[in-house]
């Protein structure tokens, strides 16, 4: 390459080529030298500064190179775009948003900047701005389709924004525009959930039935979703029927079996729940959720507590960082009368994940230990997060506590 380029060393492109070749060869010293030579020949070379920033190992120094260059050459679009993307990698979303806004101000029809501003606005919880830019992005692609650009993620985020605003109809409309692809199944499942939330259970089930799954995994996901919608609507018998039909198709699918066990418990068929969970343990002995569910169900009914402890400890050994399994272990200790171990375990679980369910359990342990103010505070927090939580309601009723 040096021989080929020797007549052209007065051109900055020759030094950039040598810098890239040196970088590929692992010679960063030579790469830096050639990048600097390129900038000496042509100080405003965007490719030159980008190459120098690329071969500069110190990240702060690399960023400083780009900011200094942009202060001198503010119209250097490729450099500003690279700089903005690095800011995103560093999670400096507000700063990145300012850079993309400069890019869009300079070129108002730039869809890359429009999309980036929409997504960055979501990261900074500025949903009004996010909606403005993402709507502009999908509208532009509707008018002028571009095979290199996929509006799918924009549709999904716009649906999330609409749902956040309690605008279920708008969320459903956005999701209906997602076309077949990697995100299609997830989008249609979410759409079915929103239809059910709106009260259109018939339409929700019809939508799920219309989806053509690519294999057992997708089909099982659809079955489980339909059953969950029915269970949430307290249509337990219908949910059981859906899962039973699913198990006729896939008798050893552990995901379908797990949901069948949970619905059986909801139907108060404890024997069926236990036999189904034990089948999962047989089929998938490394599945922590089956051990946990069975152990927790014993603890909830205050029976076979030593076996419950063994099951939940096995689950935690398989998934040591799972806060919900820690919650089960704490609850088993509580039932066994091990209040110290119960409090320690539940506090650890709640610290990992301050979920209302865990908070309710921890609150009851503290209540029994006489720490009633701390218990009530946890229950108040749970009530704020999830006022319809069944565990919270039953606990307060059983203990005759009002918040």
């Amino acid at each position: 390459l040096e021989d080929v380029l020797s007549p052209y060393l007065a051109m900055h492109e020759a030094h950039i080529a040598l810098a890239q070749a040196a970088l590929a060869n692992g010679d960063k010293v030579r790469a830096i030298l050639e990048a600097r030579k390129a900038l000496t020949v042509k100080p405003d070379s965007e490719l030159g500064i980008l190459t120098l920033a690329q071969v500069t190992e110190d990240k702060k120094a690399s960023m400083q190179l780009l900011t200094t260059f942009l202060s001198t050459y503010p119209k250097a679009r490729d450099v500003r775009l690279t700089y903005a993307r690095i800011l995103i990698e560093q999670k400096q979303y507000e700063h990145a948003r300012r850079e993309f806004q400069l890019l869009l101000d300079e070129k108002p029809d730039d869809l890359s900047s429009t999309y980036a501003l929409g997504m960055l606005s979501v990261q900074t919880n500025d949903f009004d701005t996010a909606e403005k830019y993402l709507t502009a992005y999908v509208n532009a692609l509707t008018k002028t389709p571009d095979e290199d650009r996929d509006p799918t993620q924009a549709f999904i985020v716009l649906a999330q924004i609409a749902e956040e605003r309690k605008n279920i109809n708008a969320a459903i409309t956005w999701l209906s525009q997602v076309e077949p692809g990697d995100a299609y199944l997830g989008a249609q499942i979410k759409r079915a959930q929103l239809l059910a939330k709106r009260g259109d259970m018939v339409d929700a089930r019809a939508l799920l039935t219309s989806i053509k799954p690519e294999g057992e995994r997708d089909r099982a996901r659809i079955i489980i979703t339909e059953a969950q919608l029915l269970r949430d609507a307290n249509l337990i018998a219908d949910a059981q029927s859906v899962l039973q039909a699913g198990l006729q198709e896939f008798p050893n699918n552990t995901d379908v079996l797990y949901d069948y066990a949970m619905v059986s418990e909801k139907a108060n068929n404890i024997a069926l729940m236990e036999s189904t969970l034990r089948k999962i343990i047989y089929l998938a002995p490394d599945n922590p959720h089956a051990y946990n569910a069975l152990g927790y169900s014993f603890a909830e009914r205050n029976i076979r507590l030593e076996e419950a402890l063994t099951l939940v400890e096995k689950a935690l050994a398989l998934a040591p960082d799972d806060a919900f399994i820690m919650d089960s272990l704490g609850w088993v200790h509580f039932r066994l009368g091990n209040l110290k171990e119960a409090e320690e375990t539940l506090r650890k679980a709640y610290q990992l994940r301050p979920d209302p369910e865990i908070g309710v359990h921890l609150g009851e342990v503290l209540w029994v230990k006489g720490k009633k103010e701390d218990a009530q505070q946890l229950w108040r927090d749970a009530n704020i997060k999830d006022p319809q939580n069944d565990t919270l309601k039953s606990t307060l009723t059983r203990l005759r506590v009002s918040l």
Side-chain angles (χ1 to χ4, degrees), residues 219-289:
R219 176 68 183 132
R221 195 174 166 193
I222 294 166
I223 292 165
I224 290 166
T225 299
E226 184 177 4
Q228 287 173 341
L229 295 182
L230 292 164
R231 187 173 66 182
D232 291 343
N234 208 30
L235 299 170
I236 305 303
D238 290 338
Q240 280 185 303
S241 296
V242 168
L243 291 165
Q244 284 167 350
L247 288 172
Q248 287 179 351
E249 283 186 74
F250 312 113
N252 293 329
N253 186 291
T254 54
D255 292 331
V256 179
L257 282 165
Y258 185 84
D259 269 54
Y260 186 53
M262 296 301 97
V263 169
S264 298
E265 182 185 36
K266 195 84 171 174
N268 206 30
N269 191 338
I270 305 304
L272 182 56
M273 176 207 71
E274 180 175 347
S275 64
T276 305
L277 288 173
R278 290 200 184 280
K279 182 176 180 180
I280 297 171
I281 290 170
Y282 172 76
L283 292 169
D286 292 336
N287 185 320
H289 304 297

Side-chain angles (χ1 to χ4, degrees), residues 31 66 155 204 256:
L66 297 178
F155 287 136
V256 179

